[in-house]
Amino acid sequence: MSIASDSIKRAGPERTTVWDRFSIRTKRVIWAWTFLALPILFYGGIRFYPTFQAFWLSLTDWDLMRPAKFVGLANYQAMLADPVFWKVFQNTFAYLIIGTPLSLVISFAIAYYLDRVRFMHGFIRALYFLPFLTTAAAMGWVWRWFYQPVPIGVLNGFLSVFGLPQQTFLRSPDTALTSILMPAIWAGLGFQVIIFIAGLRAIPSTFYEAARIDGLGEWAIFRKITLPLLKPTTIFLVVFSSIGFLRIFDQVYNMTTNDPGGPLNSTKPLVLMIYQTAFSSYKMGYAAAQTVVLFTILLVVSLMQLWVLRKR
Amino acid sequence: MRSNYASYFANGIGASATGEKLEAAEKFLKYVSSPEAMQIWLKVVGELPARKAVALTDDNVADPIYGPFLKGLAYAHTTQFVDEAGQRQTAVDMVNRVLINGDDPKASLDEAAKQEQAIIDAAAQ
């Protein structure tokens, strides 16, 4: 008893600091901000600061060797006048507009039916997920060999066995983009299937039971219950895969290394153009201007999708 | 215009080398640039010697494989690269325009020359 009262006395008035005068609520806020400060500083330093610097760089002619000189909007003027840029712009949207809907429809169909399969469900799901774990570079090279002409290419080998005409795949400007898009869609499928299955499982089964008791048909159940309740999952996947297709690089670069983005720029996406401008031609200012365009596209597309698919 | 393409490389010693390592490097460099090492290099590796005295011996010039290359050096030029990937791309596209699109070779060549000149002009600024 005496020890306890002693220590209370010692901790009395003379130990009161500024900190003690705060209420518990204020202290909690201070601690929260102390912990939050770390990620904020981190992101500020390695994400936001370089982002803003890229905007400044896009107005200069920096080439790594000489100090950057302000050139106004010259980089943007050069970009708008460059036919290759417009070709690349078109390709980037082709990847997005074909890739996103196609991959979502396929992965939804797989998820919808896989969800009902009981036999070897986990194994089949693992098979779909496997490509997602594979390095894009390795996958790009394997598919590149699939697409070769007969003695090497498996796909053309199949066609010749059945007496069908040979396909050009990566070697023609008309088919190259689709040929690159297919493995890219296939690679992302596993992830989308898993997310869709999780979304489907999250819909309470009582809804389905009630609907069936009320005599609703399968199609009506699908349209009135499954699709609306799957909306948050769909929004997430649409935004996620759109950003993925807008940033496509690995597959293109690895499948066309001899003529990156070729033939005749028919497969070159914006990211590959930025990469070449910056790290092959060392035009950092021009590359930064292209990056600003990519940033704007990503921002606009993401905001548009969030707006279209918003909760009403 | 009669012209041929040639590229070359040079060996050197790193500026930070000192003492024993510098001596060893000097010795090695003296050897690889000696006439007899150049002759061996030509025979084994197939790259042309930098010393005219070694390169233009009667034996070498008469050789069916590297003889023509050695004679071609008299009017050879090294491409001036200001953007190696960019300039290479103009040549790749030039060939693809003819092979894939079936363009006229002369027109495709002119187009490539124009693009290459634009790259060189932009770098000269």
Side-chain angles (χ1 to χ4, degrees):
Chain A
M1 269 311 268
S2 66
I3 298 168
S5 59
D6 239 30
S7 65
I8 287 168
K9 235 180 256 165
R10 216 180 297 144
E14 82 256 39
R15 294 246 358 207
T16 314
T17 56
V18 184
W19 179 247
D20 290 327
R21 259 182 263 144
F22 293 135
S23 68
I24 295 223
R25 207 183 127 73
T26 323
K27 278 181 190 168
R28 224 184 256 164
V29 171
I30 292 175
W31 273 116
W33 277 105
T34 314
F35 285 122
L36 281 175
L38 278 176
I40 290 173
L41 278 178
F42 181 75
Y43 276 106
I46 75 158
R47 274 269 152 97
F48 300 129
Y49 166 68
T51 307
F52 286 114
Q53 212 198 6
F55 281 96
W56 155 248
L57 268 185
S58 73
L59 303 173
T60 69
D61 67 347
W62 193 40
D63 63 354
L64 285 180
M65 306 302 274
R66 280 167 295 190
K69 199 174 85 222
F70 181 77
V71 292
L73 294 174
N75 286 326
Y76 292 93
Q77 278 163 355
M79 187 161 62
L80 296 182
D82 184 1
V84 176
F85 171 75
W86 289 110
K87 179 73 196 154
V88 165
F89 194 79
Q90 206 184 318
N91 293 341
T92 308
F93 276 95
Y95 283 117
L96 171 74
I97 289 164
I98 307 171
T100 303
L102 199 58
S103 70
L104 285 179
V105 167
I106 296 174
S107 61
F108 178 76
I110 293 171
Y112 189 71
Y113 290 106
L114 187 60
D115 192 36
R116 297 159 175 219
V117 173
R118 289 286 157 270
F119 176 70
M120 295 216 296
H121 176 87
F123 178 70
I124 299 172
R125 205 167 54 173
L127 281 187
Y128 276 114
F129 197 64
L130 216 54
F132 188 69
L133 303 175
T134 314
T135 319
M139 218 153 49
W141 279 87
V142 171
W143 276 85
R144 184 185 173 143
W145 287 326
F146 282 174
Y147 283 140
Q148 293 298 307
V150 236
I152 302 166
V154 178
L155 298 177
N156 272 328
F158 265 126
L159 292 176
S160 73
V161 166
F162 294 109
L164 294 164
Q166 296 286 291
Q167 293 301 313
T168 46
F169 294 122
L170 296 170
R171 288 173 302 126
S172 153
D174 304 321
T175 52
L177 193 135
T178 332
S179 304
I180 288 175
L181 200 51
M182 289 310 135
I185 291 175
W186 172 70
L189 222 53
F191 177 75
Q192 294 178 341
V193 167
I194 298 283
I195 301 287
F196 266 134
I197 288 184
L200 287 169
R201 293 262 161 107
I203 301 173
S205 55
T206 47
F207 290 10
Y208 291 113
E209 282 161 22
R212 288 211 176 87
I213 288 166
D214 287 347
L216 231 60
E218 284 300 310
W219 176 242
I221 291 176
F222 176 75
R223 268 203 35 212
K224 302 280 182 189
I225 297 175
T226 311
L227 279 188
L229 287 173
L230 214 54
K231 200 170 169 186
T233 313
T234 316
I235 295 177
F236 169 73
L237 283 177
V238 167
V239 172
F240 198 84
S241 87
S242 299
I243 293 175
F245 282 113
L246 282 172
R247 299 191 312 191
I248 192 168
F249 175 86
D250 316 37
Q251 277 89 1
V252 188
Y253 190 69
N254 284 295
M255 291 173 78
T256 61
T257 36
N258 306 334
D259 178 8
L264 296 170
N265 294 318
S266 60
T267 60
K268 194 179 284 182
L270 198 45
V271 182
L272 180 52
M273 192 191 196
I274 294 169
Y275 172 78
Q276 287 182 320
T277 313
F279 304 114
S280 298
S281 305
Y282 304 108
K283 293 182 202 151
M284 294 297 166
Y286 190 25
Q290 293 163 359
T291 313
V292 170
V293 171
L294 178 68
F295 175 81
T296 316
I297 295 173
L298 283 172
L299 191 70
V300 169
V301 168
S302 304
L303 288 179
M304 251 165 48
Q305 286 170 344
L306 288 177
W307 185 78
V308 169
L309 297 167
R310 74 192 181 280
K311 276 206 180 90
R312 265 181 273 243
Chain B
M1 191 177 129
R2 199 180 187 206
S3 187
N4 192 14
Y5 169 75
S7 72
Y8 60 89
F9 67 90
N11 287 305
I13 302 174
S16 59
T18 51
E20 212 175 69
K21 285 179 184 169
L22 179 63
E23 270 173 44
E26 277 171 359
K27 242 189 241 172
F28 176 73
L29 207 56
K30 214 166 267 170
Y31 174 70
V32 289
S33 55
S34 69
E36 73 257 43
M38 280 186 176
Q39 184 61 42
I40 296 170
W41 195 263
L42 174 67
K43 284 260 144 62
V44 178
V45 181
E47 286 175 338
L48 307 178
R51 288 180 194 274
K52 275 189 177 170
V54 184
L56 302 173
T57 57
D58 293 338
D59 257 5
N60 287 345
V61 174
D63 190 281
I65 295 170
Y66 29 79
F69 288 100
L70 286 168
K71 282 182 218 153
L73 283 180
Y75 48 87
H77 298 274
T78 299
T79 310
Q80 187 200 359
F81 281 122
V82 292
D83 173 0
E84 191 168 348
Q87 282 168 275
R88 180 181 174 275
Q89 190 68 56
T90 59
V92 172
D93 288 348
M94 171 181 75
V95 175
N96 277 342
R97 275 195 299 272
V98 176
L99 294 183
I100 297 174
N101 289 359
D103 283 14
D104 172 43
K106 174 85 173 60
S108 188
L109 180 67
D110 289 346
E111 170 80 22
K114 218 191 295 164
Q115 287 171 357
E116 177 127 4
Q117 193 61 51
I119 294 174
I120 294 169
D121 289 346
Q125 276 174 10

